[in-house]
Amino acid sequence: MAASIRMKGARTGLQNAALGTGTVFCLAGILGFIPGITSNYDSLRLAGHASEALLLGVFQVSVLHNTVHLLFGAAGILMSRSHPQARNFLVYGGVIYLVLWLYGLLVGDPIPANFIPANHADNWLHLVLGLAMIALAIMLARGPAPAADTGSTANSSVPGTRRR
């Protein structure tokens, strides 16, 4: 029988932040495929800077971009099941978004190496997302992580005492 990584009891603030972040990314991925919410939908391309589709009329998207948002969001939802994984999602996800921000600034739109459709709005959103995710991880990870409930009665509930 495989051990579950799902923790018993209340979710931590860190887990809720990872869950919320993952949910927002899934929502962004879904909305990127809906005409009307995504303007210029008929110009949606598989990948690359040639896609002129704009989520909410602002953020340049492609099929690949939307799919990555969906997968990244699903990872956040799954990783929110445990405190350490939620922290990892927010920290490493934040680092990924900071790298994407730098990539967008350095590569630019018209270069063929730019397989990510990202306009200036996307670039600055990547900066804000990266910083916010890392800040959430730092602020909410302070203090001890909750102990996993193993179902064992070997631990005493009286502080300073142990069962032998």
Side-chain angles (χ1 to χ4, degrees), residues 1-8 81 148:
M1 179 189 307
S4 172
I5 60 169
R6 181 156 174 86
M7 295 182 56
K8 307 286 186 202
R81 295 174 64 192

Side-chain angles (χ1 to χ4, degrees), residues 41-130:
Y41 188 80
D42 56 333
S43 70
L44 185 69
R45 301 288 179 258
L46 180 62
H49 63 278
S51 181
E52 295 176 7
L54 299 172
L55 177 61
L56 304 174
V58 178
F59 304 105
Q60 191 175 8
V61 294
S62 68
V63 173
L64 175 64
H65 201 148
N66 292 335
T67 303
V68 168
H69 282 148
L70 284 167
L71 293 173
F72 190 72
I77 291 169
L78 290 173
M79 292 177 78
S80 74
R81 295 174 64 192
S82 79
H83 187 86
Q85 287 184 349
R87 182 185 61 243
N88 288 340
F89 170 74
L90 292 171
V91 169
Y92 296 122
V95 168
I96 289 169
Y97 271 89
L98 291 178
V99 168
L100 283 172
W101 171 66
L102 287 174
Y103 178 84
L105 292 179
L106 298 175
V107 172
D109 291 336
I111 296 172
N114 189 359
F115 62 94
I116 302 170
N119 57 18
H120 292 298
D122 285 299
N123 290 337
W124 293 108
L125 180 62
H126 291 159
L127 172 65
V128 170
L129 286 171

